[in-house]
Amino acid sequence: MSELWNAQDIALATDGAASAPFAVSGVAFDSREVGPGDLFVAMKGETTDGHRFVEQAFAQGASGAVVSTPVDHPHILVRDSAAALEAMGRSGRERMKGQIIGVTGSVGKTGTKEALYLALDRAVPGKVHRSVKSYNNHVGVPLSLARMPRDSAFGIFEMGMNHAGELAVLTRQVRPHIAIVTAIAPAHIEFFGTEAKIAEAKAEIFEGLEPGGTAIIPYDSPHVAILYNKAERHAARILTFGMNRDADVHAIESVPARGGGTLVTAKLPEGELCFTVAAPGDHWVSNALAVLTAVEAVGGDIAAAGLALAEMPGLPGRGARRALALPGGEALLIDESYNANPLSMAATLKQLGSEPADRRLAILGGMRELGSRSAELHAGLAGALETGRVDFAVLVGEEMAPLADALDGVIPYAHVPDAASAIRLTQTEMRAGDAILVKGSNGIGLSRLVAALASDARDGDSD
């Protein structure tokens, strides 16, 4: 077991009291994720109390716990477990002497974070730490910081927000040397009113930059001026990326690659790089350019980054692709079920249109947190479905009613109330030769549809 924390260091970081000496190799606040050697942080939430699951955590192999009530196991007693986790995050950040990269954006932040991890890890294997899943909020960020080994060469942290001011708090915990904004889109616009306000909130990431830090911003964004103006106040260096040739890192050429993905020739400050992006779509070219900009900014291995981008697999819920065995052949399932906003919907539908297929099916769930513009933005997807050459659409949830109205007489569709109905309809409708895109806000539950179709394929393989 590689020691991440010991009882003495945890007590010192949290101003707590240790009941006994112990060492841990990991940190978790969800008892379901606790494994052998982990530290379980028992936090009190609005609906539950983590102290109820201390016994379960130790039964699963926990070596210690952070608690606000004494327990009959090795523990650190603190006043407030949530505050203790934040304190451990601050201490974890302080003791790590490598370079820290922060990533935010309306779309693409998780994919960019994962691609950047692979790009850097290829050059220094085992020395790169990153936040897992989408642990990007007021609890996930300190957890990810607390999980960072002190000898990491690089740390990569995703940061998200729903309201103004949230990102400013997170970035001051992360204290990045490099801060990236991937793109601006009307995600969470219910809470902001305009995209410009979203851009201002995303630009808060620059407030936490370390002295001498670098800001990386999307040149192609209509809100580049907002981002640039904010970056100028906090960054010693500003780098831009995009398709426009005036960007510091830009695509000179991008063409479909043989076997899928995109072959890109990119111009960087110190030269050019020809590489393949395994994930298909223009949005992934943009993500890749952001990754290369960050690798250049930290003085990393650009060639190794290009190789990593060529080999990067699709992420579950964010572009993973699977062949489904069906009578007479196979169908292609494209899993984009984790999240959705108007920009990402349009990008993935455009990519669907380029997929070689007998038919193209789009199973689209409603987009959440669009506020008063929800009807307008949903109806506005009609053009994207035409661009995507969609032959049949399954629209899921009440938010999709305006799009159903806009598609009347344009594209065949069915409007269903929930994911369960979508599963039944898709299982009946799909056939060999189809390309099937599944995309929607996570709350719609289309991941269940993906799981059901994948299960059908496994069952079919075993017959």
Side-chain angles (χ1 to χ4, degrees):
M1 181 182 76
S2 178
E3 180 179 301
L4 180 65
W5 293 89
N6 59 48
Q8 181 179 357
D9 289 342
I10 300 168
L12 183 64
T14 61
D15 195 24
S19 69
F22 62 86
V24 300
S25 56
V27 184
F29 61 73
D30 185 335
S31 61
R32 295 167 296 184
E33 296 183 359
V34 172
D38 280 351
L39 175 74
F40 175 55
V41 183
M43 296 194 297
K44 295 179 180 179
E46 294 181 1
T47 59
T48 189
D49 183 348
H51 292 78
R52 295 170 47 203
F53 305 101
V54 168
E55 292 297 329
Q56 175 185 332
F58 279 95
Q60 292 170 196
S63 293
V66 172
V67 295
S68 56
T69 302
V71 296
D72 294 330
H73 297 281
H75 65 270
I76 307 295
L77 183 64
V78 298
R79 291 183 178 181
D80 183 313
S81 298
L85 179 60
E86 287 188 17
M88 287 184 66
R90 288 193 297 271
S91 180
R93 170 63 183 90
E94 184 67 32
R95 69 186 188 176
M96 185 273 203
K97 303 308 179 184
Q99 296 193 70
I100 300 293
I101 304 169
V103 183
T104 194
S106 301
V107 293
K109 54 184 177 289
T110 299
T112 298
K113 177 253 300 180
E114 290 296 319
L116 186 52
Y117 166 78
L118 293 173
L120 293 173
D121 187 69
R122 192 179 185 96
V124 286
K127 293 297 183 180
V128 184
H129 172 77
R130 93 286 202 192
S131 49
V132 298
K133 301 182 180 179
S134 289
Y135 282 170
N136 61 20
N137 63 8
H138 67 288
V139 178
V141 167
L143 174 69
S144 298
L145 287 166
R147 286 174 166 176
M148 180 167 54
R150 68 178 70 220
D151 63 347
S152 298
F154 300 101
I156 309 166
F157 297 90
E158 177 181 336
M159 288 174 269
M161 57 85 192
N162 293 328
H163 297 85
E166 291 178 339
L167 205 55
V169 173
L170 297 179
T171 191
R172 288 189 172 95
Q173 294 178 36
V174 173
R175 292 166 40 214
H177 299 92
I178 313 291
I180 305 170
V181 176
T182 58
I184 303 298
H188 313 304
I189 200 167
E190 174 183 0
F191 308 118
F192 293 94
T194 67
E195 279 193 25
K197 292 292 185 182
I198 294 173
E200 291 173 3
K202 292 296 183 183
E204 290 174 11
I205 192 174
F206 304 134
E207 295 179 16
L209 275 169
E210 288 285 88
T214 299
I216 297 176
I217 62 179
Y219 190 91
D220 301 330
S221 172
H223 309 290
V224 63
I226 292 174
L227 299 173
Y228 205 97
N229 289 340
K230 182 74 168 186
E232 283 187 311
R233 301 200 291 273
H234 300 280
R237 184 187 187 195
I238 301 173
L239 292 173
T240 59
F241 68 92
M243 304 304 289
N244 191 299
R245 288 178 178 266
D246 290 331
D248 296 308
V249 175
H250 62 264
I252 299 172
E253 184 180 28
S254 62
V255 296
R258 183 177 300 175
T262 308
L263 181 65
V264 182
T265 301
K267 178 70 173 68
L268 295 99
E270 302 299 328
E272 295 182 4
L273 179 70
C274 185
F275 64 101
T276 299
V277 185
D282 293 344
H283 55 301
W284 260 108
V285 174
S286 179
N287 291 346
L289 294 172
V291 168
L292 293 179
T293 309
V295 173
E296 195 280 337
V298 299
D301 189 328
I302 293 291
L307 293 172
L309 289 165
E311 297 175 359
M312 182 176 176
L315 303 174
R318 295 181 171 89
R321 299 158 75 88
R322 179 190 177 103
L324 301 178
L326 296 172
E330 293 182 336
L332 171 65
L333 176 63
I334 304 169
D335 176 14
E336 289 274 0
S337 61
Y338 185 78
N339 213 344
N341 59 56
L343 182 62
S344 64
M345 279 281 201
T348 50
L349 284 165
K350 179 182 178 182
Q351 176 57 34
L352 179 63
S354 67
E355 297 288 347
D358 296 337
R359 295 189 312 162
R360 296 170 185 84
L361 276 61
I363 293 84
L364 306 179
M367 301 178 290
R368 298 285 171 84
E369 298 181 352
L370 297 181
S372 62
R373 295 188 61 194
S374 179
E376 166 203 346
L377 292 171
H378 279 88
L381 292 176
L385 270 86
E386 290 188 84
T387 300
R389 300 161 63 194
V390 172
D391 295 289
F392 184 71
V394 179
L395 311 179
V396 187
E398 60 182 355
E399 297 96 338
M400 278 294 179
L403 178 56
D405 292 339
L407 290 181
D408 269 340
V410 179
I411 293 172
Y413 73 90
H415 184 201
V416 298
D418 50 37
S421 303
I423 291 171
R424 292 191 294 269
L425 180 57
T426 305
Q427 289 171 327
T428 301
E429 180 66 26
M430 67 182 185
R431 57 178 182 253
D434 288 345
I436 307 167
L437 169 66
V438 181
K439 188 166 183 64
S441 288
N442 194 39
I444 302 296
L446 292 184
S447 59
R448 298 198 300 274
L449 184 148
V450 171
L453 298 187
S455 177
D456 289 347
R458 285 195 298 270
D459 293 343
D461 289 343
S462 63
D463 289 342

